[in-house]
Amino acid sequence: MEVGVSTRDVQQFDGDAVAVGVFSDDAEVQGPAATLDKAMAGVISQLRASGEITGTAGEVTLIHTLGKIEPERVAILGLGPRKRFTADRVRRAAAIASRALRKAGAKRVGLALAWAESGVNLAQAARAAAEGALLGLYAFDVYKAKKNGGNGGNEGACKEIEALTILGRGREPALRSAVERGRILAEATNFARDLGNEPPNVLSPEELANRARRMAEETGLECEIFGQKEMEKQGMGALLGVAQGSEREPRFIILRWRGGRKGEPGPAFVGKGITFDTGGISIKPAEGMQAMKMDMCGGAAVIGAMRAIALLKPAINVTGIVPTTENMPGGNAYRPGDILRASNGKTIEIVNTDAEGRLILADALSYAVKHQHTPIVDAATLTGACVIALGHVRAGLYSNDETLQRAIMAASETAGEKYWPMPMDEEYEAQIASEVADVKQTGGRPAGSITAAKVLENFVAETPWAHMDIAGVNDSEKRDAASDPGATGFAVRTFAELAMQLADRNGTSAR
Ligand code: BES
Ligand code: ZN
Ligand code: ZN
């Protein structure tokens, strides 16, 4: 799909359909909607007055223009109250509009959702509109003869939007670069969603590494991949412990973007890459286990973010690290009671083989510390406890550094992803004290997501570090107006935005 911009007036848009917004608390229709209203003999204000259009967030009303203007169809989007208008509202409205118009068969769609009013500036709104549309139109249907696109899989022919135009006021170059940024971020997110949605028979650790390498070749990232032998040489005993129950070999994926000063290590982004989590010997219940094909979504987010970074070209060096393996039961699987030694030398007493994520991250974080990366940020579908704490709305954020935590909260807000800071008091450490090793793998049920973060903290030394537990937000079960169910690509945009903000702070002298 082509993505473009236009600063022309909305009634001059020459595609098949155009979307405009209305606020729920405006007495009269305003902005681009008012322009169209005039061109169409007041039909929008009439629907508004009759209560058929209320402007409630999420509302979408399709009307035929019957030749009064160039586009055949107009979609009127509810934007909610003007005073609670945010970029996120634009993102969602753009997703809903483009899905509804795709379903209606529109091929060339204009979104007039970017205009500098109501506290959201033009660039933010334009970026959010592009992001929302591309995220909303995403479908994972490579294994289906009947495609999902736009018709819920009921028709053979797939309806696709061919060209998307973001209509906005203001300077065209500014509009264009905002839309381009939105496009890159959304496509990187969709790349990560593809990885998450792939079935686990296809997406083995080796295949995940192949896809990362192919992406790196396409975008100009450096890529290094360790196999089992190299991991043994590096003493990655925690990762290898988890991997030993699987017939498939583990991989350790490293992606490097060099946009900064030579020799400066820069930040590392680390992601959990369990391509399937059975729980191992501490096996999970059968019900719902298929969702554990998505236990590599932290890793996918890192790979997706590195793709976005390669295209956005921030003036900073960034390294992406993804340890990847299956967690399987088997004759050679690791056991509760085992003691594993991570590559930083610390030993871990295993109590539950289902708590495997922290083990593979232990070696990845140790690698990041050894190579002097700072700050270190990881993303992982780490604990069910985080899902209990925060549900499917926010990811948990755990950090040893307040400045970094604030930077991530700020980046996530721009990115349109929600996190919530969790406590890291040292009192929690009592739960993971071991009689026989340096640290116990799990701290029992109380505060399970915090004690998991506390285990990780053992492997970051003094480096400023943050951990993002995305177990509740990586997978969306509900089919709603804005998105298909499946992998969400959560954390891609926060990682990419953070890299951009760190680059800005790092000065612009690099390139
Ligand atoms: N991959 C799971 C966590 C998870 C749960 C992700 C639900 C997405 C949805 C992780 O490896 C796991 O099984 N964690 C255990 C840890 C426990 C044994 C200490 C958990 O949360 O139950
Ligand atoms: Zn597990
Ligand atoms: Zn897991």
Side-chain angles (χ1 to χ4, degrees), residues 277 284 354-356:
D277 183 10
K284 287 181 181 292
D354 197 10
E356 81 297 337

Side-chain angles (χ1 to χ4, degrees), residues 272 274 277-279 284 292 295 327 352-357 382:
K272 170 177 172 181
I274 295 291
D277 183 10
T278 65
K284 287 181 181 292
M292 286 300 127
D295 210 18
N327 185 25
N352 186 322
T353 62
D354 197 10
E356 81 297 337
L382 203 64

